[in-house]
Amino acid sequence: MPASASRAKFGFGYAFSVTEIFGAGLDLIFPQYCAGCGAWGAQLCRACLDALRGEWEEVSAGAVYLQVFDPAGEEYMPAFPVFSLHPHTGTAQKTMAAWKHASLAALDRSLLDLWQMRLVSLRDMPGMETAGACVAVNAPSGFRRRHRGQLIAAKLASAAAEVFGCGYCDALRTKFSPGDLRPVRPHYSVAGKNERLAKGERIKCVKNLAGREVLLFDDVLTTGATMLGCARVLAENGACVRAGITFSHRGTTGHFGAGGHI
C-alpha cells in the first residue's frame, strides 16, 4: 500500500499516519510520565536528562568482592578498575528502576544516546587507552529478565562497542536455579548479598574469548559479586577483564577478606 494511502487528512491540511493517530490516542489515555521525577509529558524530561549526564568515577574500591590480596603491599586491592557514571541514588536510581522493569522504546533511545555521548569522555580515562582492542561483554541477566527481554547490561555493552570501535559478544549466561523465580532480596541484607554471590558462582561462558581482553558491563555495581563471577569464568576460559563499566553504583562497605577473590 502506498504510504499516502495509510494517511488521513484533517483540518488545516495536516496529514497523519494511522500509527501516529493511534499512538497519540494512547498518549491521551495513558499519558507519559518521566521515569526520573514523575513529571507528565515525556518518558524522560529535560531536567532529569541533564541530571543523568554525570561524571565518570573509578569506584572499584567500594566493591567488597572485587578486592584481592596483594602480598607485596600486604593489603587488599581491586582486581581491576570499575568506572561508573552515577551514584545509584535519586534520579539515577528511579530511572534505572523504570528502565529495568518496563519496555519503553523512547526511554531506551534517550538513555542509550546519553550513554554513548558520555562514553566518549571515558576513552580518556587512565586504563582505557586500549579500549578499541578489547571486546565488550555484558554481565548475564537472570532468567526472568532474559525471558522478558529486559537486557539492560547487553544494551549498554552493545552501545559502548559502537563508541569504542571494538567487538561485542554476549558471551555469559547464568545457570538456571529455582531461586531465580523468587523476588530479589534487598542488596543491603545478608540474604541479598548471599544471593548475589551465589548468582556469581553460577555464571558460565558460552563463547570462545581465549586470549582476549574484555570490557565488562553491568547496569549497577553493588558488592561486585556478579563482576567477580564474570571475571572468574572469563579467566577460566582464557580471557582477561581489562575494566568494568556500569551506569551507576551503590556505595558499599564491609570486610574485604570475606569476599571470594579472583
Side-chain angles (χ1 to χ4, degrees):
M1 179 187 296
S4 58
S6 65
R7 291 181 174 267
K9 288 202 172 185
F10 294 88
F12 310 106
Y14 293 108
F16 299 89
S17 70
V18 172
T19 302
E20 288 167 338
I21 296 169
F22 183 69
L26 286 179
D27 283 344
L28 289 173
I29 300 170
F30 305 105
Q32 296 181 348
Y33 292 91
C34 174
C37 67
W40 178 86
Q43 289 179 354
L44 194 63
C45 72
R46 175 56 57 184
C48 287
L49 192 60
D50 289 341
L52 288 171
R53 293 184 187 278
E55 295 293 337
W56 292 105
E57 294 181 66
E58 205 287 286
V59 297
S60 58
V64 177
Y65 291 113
L66 285 184
Q67 310 308 308
V68 295
F69 188 71
D70 177 16
E74 296 187 349
E75 59 181 341
Y76 284 95
M77 301 287 290
F80 49 83
V82 180
F83 300 99
S84 174
L85 197 52
H86 305 279
H88 194 64
T89 58
T91 300
Q93 183 178 16
K94 293 175 184 176
T95 303
M96 180 54 71
W99 199 16
K100 289 173 75 169
H101 298 293
S103 298
L104 304 172
L107 188 59
D108 253 15
R109 288 193 299 271
S110 296
L111 288 174
L112 290 175
D113 285 347
L114 174 66
W115 175 249
Q116 289 189 313
M117 180 185 72
R118 299 304 295 131
L119 283 168
V120 173
S121 62
L122 182 60
R123 291 184 300 191
D124 300 326
M125 297 285 283
M128 293 298 294
E129 301 88 349
T130 60
C134 298
V135 58
V137 175
N138 53 277
S141 297
F143 171 78
R144 288 179 299 176
R145 204 159 275 141
R146 181 169 286 277
H147 178 69
R148 296 170 184 168
Q150 296 164 328
L151 308 177
I152 304 304
K155 293 175 182 179
L156 295 174
S158 178
E162 294 179 8
V163 174
F164 294 145
C166 66
Y168 163 69
C169 187
D170 183 14
L172 302 175
R173 296 288 185 275
T174 302
K175 299 173 185 176
F176 176 75
S177 166
D180 293 339
L181 302 177
R182 293 196 306 264
V184 178
R185 293 184 173 93
H187 72 277
Y188 49 79
S189 68
V190 173
K193 287 187 170 95
N194 288 339
E195 279 186 356
R196 284 163 175 79
L197 188 58
K199 176 188 173 184
E201 293 172 349
R202 291 188 285 109
I203 294 172
K204 62 180 180 179
C205 186
V206 296
K207 303 287 185 180
N208 181 12
L209 293 175
R212 301 299 304 272
E213 287 194 329
V214 169
L215 297 176
L216 183 59
F217 290 81
D218 206 354
D219 45 20
V220 183
L221 176 72
T222 304
T223 63
T226 299
M227 281 200 166
L228 169 76
C230 293
R232 271 182 169 168
V233 75
L234 286 167
E236 290 168 0
N237 284 270
C240 175
V241 174
R242 175 82 176 183
I245 304 173
T246 69
F247 186 85
S248 60
H249 64 280
R250 292 185 173 101
T252 60
T253 57
H255 176 50
F256 289 165
H261 304 132
I262 298 172

